[in-house]
């Protein structure tokens, strides 16, 4: 134990960096655990759509959506979600909503906004459409 204390006192920068990283990991883990929006994989997305009539919402640009999207997905740009223009999704308020973007990064923000707007069960596809295509799942044009 004395070696740990000696190491920590001799290397304050490493100690602070380690504490910062540990704090960030704990914070993000707790935040994700209690978040109303969950990350799901391709298999969970398929199960939600097939078993619970889930709705896939693609938030990519029009051009990207036309080049290929998950079959049956609704197109709603991130700008419309930011502006709370959600009229096209109102009838799906009680169904599972899965938000999809290109790589899974921008979908998190859109999914949080949908949850705040009162949608009951919102999640996003981990890895976005890239993960869907990597899993060799069908894309509609």
């Amino acid at each position: 134990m004395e070696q740990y204390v000696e190491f920590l006192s001799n290397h304050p920068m490493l100690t602070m960096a380690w504490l910062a990283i540990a704090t960030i990991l704990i914070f993000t883990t707790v935040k994700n655990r209690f978040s109303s929006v969950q990350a799901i994989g391709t298999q969970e997305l398929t199960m939600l759509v097939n078993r619970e009539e889930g709705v896939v919402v693609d938030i990519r640009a029009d051009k990207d959506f036309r080049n290929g999207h998950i079959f049956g997905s609704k197109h709603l740009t991130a700008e419309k979600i930011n502006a709370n223009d959600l009229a096209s999704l109102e009838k799906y308020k009680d169904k599972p909503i899965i938000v999809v973007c290109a790589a899974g990064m921008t979908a998190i923000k859109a999914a949080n906004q949908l949850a705040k707007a009162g949608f009951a069960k919102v999640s996003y596809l981990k890895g976005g459409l890239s993960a869907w295509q990597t899993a060799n799942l069908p894309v509609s044009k």
Side-chain angles (χ1 to χ4, degrees):
M1 184 69 174
E2 289 178 27
Q3 291 175 339
Y4 292 122
V5 174
E6 183 181 344
F7 178 83
L8 295 175
S9 63
N10 288 337
H11 304 286
M13 293 300 283
L14 287 175
T15 303
M16 286 189 287
W18 184 84
L19 287 173
I21 291 170
T23 303
I24 291 170
L25 285 174
I26 292 169
F27 175 75
T28 55
T29 302
V30 170
K31 182 180 172 192
N32 288 339
R33 172 77 77 178
F34 294 110
S35 174
S36 62
V37 175
Q38 298 297 317
I40 63 169
T42 55
Q43 187 175 14
E44 292 95 346
L45 184 147
T46 305
M47 288 174 35
L48 278 175
V49 170
N50 291 337
R51 294 185 181 164
E52 298 181 36
E53 298 178 9
V55 178
V56 179
V57 177
D58 195 322
I59 63 166
R60 296 175 302 138
D62 291 332
K63 179 183 173 190
D64 296 333
F65 183 79
R66 277 186 258 116
N67 285 338
H69 56 273
I70 297 172
F71 183 75
S73 63
K74 310 287 182 213
H75 184 243
L76 187 67
T77 61
E79 291 81 25
K80 284 187 178 182
I81 293 174
N82 289 337
N84 258 353
D85 185 8
L86 307 172
S88 61
L89 293 179
E90 285 299 320
K91 60 184 172 184
Y92 306 113
K93 224 169 187 162
D94 296 327
K95 295 188 181 195
I97 303 284
I98 305 101
V99 182
V100 177
C101 65
M105 300 305 289
T106 56
I108 299 168
K109 182 179 177 189
N112 282 319
Q113 288 177 315
L114 288 173
K116 286 178 186 174
F119 288 86
K121 189 175 179 185
V122 182
S123 51
Y124 65 93
L125 180 61
K126 238 184 317 189
L129 192 66
S130 326
W132 184 264
Q133 290 173 324
T134 302
N136 290 323
L137 293 166
V139 175
S140 177
K141 292 186 179 190

